């Protein structure tokens, strides 16, 4: 087995093991296998020298996502579970709100890395030549439907919170989702023959939308705890979720696989599309040279 193919197989295996660890409620192992998947995919992209048009942008995006995974893994390992008597009053509230806010700030930093990683992947996609395919209309319609669902779901969930405070927290994930959906709309004109690129960008859009929902839900729970005068019934020591009952609930395994699979399919699809465009350009040049040679030989015959 050649090294690039072996790296691609290792990347797929790492993603599957990450999902399996999530099913078994092993978040640390899930993040470790997810990191292995991203690093193997990064090595595969760097070793592919046939797609220079998109290689560095795609590699930069995967590298940023791997850094985000390292940050989350380190934060997870730093967590210390403290078990003791439940206390009440202002001191208990402060002891809960402080770490909660710190967790939100860390997630915002990870979300910024996510947004930059998605932006690099999209930059690689946009550097691909447009081939004028009719399939672009299908991906544009799909992206618009996804954007409408995302907008309606977000508005319904968080309309009763201060919009400026909410956007000040979730803007990196919101940016990542919008950028991924925009790239999905344009991917039909740049898609590879197997449609790996549009499928990957669709999954990447879902992953970014889910990251936005998670961060917004975390912030909204903290905001209700910090503003008890907003008619919110909270009890210390109990988990609080402000998501609506109609919101989509996914298992931890699916939630883990969506962004990993989206990153992998987007990267591989971009490489395939770049190679196909290069091969097509080479065939066109060979055809032009053949016609020129025929024209040159014609008068002499």
């Amino acid at each position: 087995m050649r090294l690039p193919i072996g790296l691609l197989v290792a990347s797929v295996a790492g993603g599957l093991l990450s999902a399996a660890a999530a099913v078994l409620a092993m978040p640390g192992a899930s993040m470790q296998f997810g990191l292995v998947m991203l690093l193997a995919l990064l090595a595969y992209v760097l070793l592919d020298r046939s797609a220079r048009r998109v290689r560095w942008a795609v590699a930069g995006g995967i590298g940023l996502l791997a850094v985000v995974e390292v940050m989350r893994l380190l934060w997870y390992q730093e967590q210390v579970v403290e078990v003791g008597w439940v206390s009440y009053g202002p001191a208990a509230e402060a002891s809960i709100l402080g770490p909660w806010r710190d967790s939100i700030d860390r997630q915002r930093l990870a979300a910024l890395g996510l947004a930059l990683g998605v932006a690099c992947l999209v930059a690689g996609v946009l550097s691909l030549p447009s081939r004028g395919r009719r399939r672009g209309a299908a991906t544009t319609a799909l992206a618009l439907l996804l954007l409408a669902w995302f907008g309606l779901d977000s508005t319904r969930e968080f309309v009763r919170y201060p919009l400026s405070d909410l956007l000040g927290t979730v803007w990196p994930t919101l940016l990542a989702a919008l950028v991924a959906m925009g790239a999905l709309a344009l991917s039909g004109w740049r898609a590879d023959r197997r449609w790996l690129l549009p499928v990957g960008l669709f999954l990447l859009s879902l992953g970014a939308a889910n990251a936005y929902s998670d961060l917004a839900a975390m912030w909204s729970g903290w905001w209700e705890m910090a503003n008890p005068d907003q008619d919110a019934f909270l009890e210390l020591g109990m988990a609080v979720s402000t998501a609506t009952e109609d919101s989509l609930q996914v298992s931890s395994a699916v939630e883990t696989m969506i962004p990993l699979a989206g990153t992998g399919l987007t990267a591989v699809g971009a490489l395939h599309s770049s190679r196909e465009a290069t091969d097509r350009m080479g065939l066109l040049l060979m055809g032009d040279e053949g016609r020129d040679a025929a024209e040159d030989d014609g008068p002499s015959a």
Side-chain angles (χ1 to χ4, degrees):
M1 182 182 295
R2 292 181 300 173
L3 179 60
I5 301 300
L7 290 171
L8 190 58
V9 172
S11 179
V12 174
L16 293 176
L17 290 174
S18 178
V23 171
L24 298 175
M26 301 169 61
S30 179
M31 284 183 277
Q32 289 175 353
F33 284 123
L35 179 59
V36 169
M37 179 264 180
L38 291 173
L39 291 178
L41 181 64
L42 176 60
Y44 171 77
V45 171
L46 291 176
L47 289 176
D48 192 322
R49 302 184 181 278
S50 61
R52 297 181 180 179
R53 185 192 301 270
V54 300
R55 183 178 57 176
W56 293 111
V58 172
I62 298 172
L64 286 170
L65 295 179
V67 171
V68 170
E69 199 70 13
V70 170
M71 292 166 54
R72 288 175 173 166
L73 182 59
L74 293 176
W75 293 337
Y76 174 77
Q77 293 175 346
E78 290 176 0
Q79 291 178 356
V80 178
V81 179
E82 297 180 355
V83 180
W85 294 100
V86 178
S87 58
Y88 297 89
E93 183 177 342
S95 65
I96 292 176
L97 291 179
W100 198 340
R101 184 68 217 189
D102 291 340
S103 179
I104 292 175
D105 291 338
R106 286 184 170 186
Q107 292 301 321
R108 286 182 61 195
L109 182 59
L112 181 58
L114 171 66
L116 293 175
V118 171
C120 287
L121 290 175
V122 169
V125 172
L126 295 181
S127 66
L128 293 169
S130 178
R131 307 179 200 179
R133 294 181 176 178
R134 297 179 180 178
R135 296 184 296 182
T139 56
T140 300
L142 178 61
L144 290 176
L145 289 175
L146 187 59
L147 179 62
W149 165 79
F150 177 67
L152 291 175
D153 188 67
S154 302
T155 302
R156 186 176 67 250
E157 285 189 16
F158 306 109
V159 69
R160 64 191 182 94
Y161 298 104
L163 184 60
S164 59
D165 294 343
L166 175 62
L167 292 178
T169 300
V170 303
W171 68 267
T173 50
L174 179 61
L175 177 63
L178 294 178
V179 169
M181 293 177 194
L184 172 62
L186 300 175
S187 63
W189 284 275
R190 297 168 171 81
D192 56 296
R193 296 174 183 174
R194 300 176 183 177
W195 269 60
L196 298 178
L197 183 60
V199 173
L201 287 171
F202 175 74
L203 294 177
L204 205 58
S205 300
L206 289 181
N210 186 64
Y212 164 85
S213 181
D214 288 344
L215 182 57
M218 183 183 295
W219 175 87
S220 62
W222 172 86
W223 185 87
E224 287 190 350
M225 178 74 80
N227 297 272
D229 57 337
Q230 302 296 325
D231 296 328
F233 177 77
L234 298 175
E235 184 175 345
L236 296 180
M238 297 183 65
V240 178
S241 176
T242 59
T244 59
E245 296 179 357
D246 296 332
S247 60
L248 182 63
Q249 301 293 326
V250 296
S251 68
S252 57
V254 175
E255 190 173 349
T256 300
M257 279 302 298
I258 284 177
L260 292 179
T263 302
L265 290 176
T266 299
V268 176
L271 295 180
H272 284 185
S273 184
S274 178
R275 285 196 292 264
E276 291 172 6
T278 302
D279 293 342
R280 183 180 181 183
M281 184 63 67
L283 291 175
L284 290 176
L285 292 176
M286 290 177 62
D288 292 339
E289 291 176 356
R291 284 196 301 269
D292 293 341
E295 292 176 356
D296 293 338
D297 293 340
S300 60

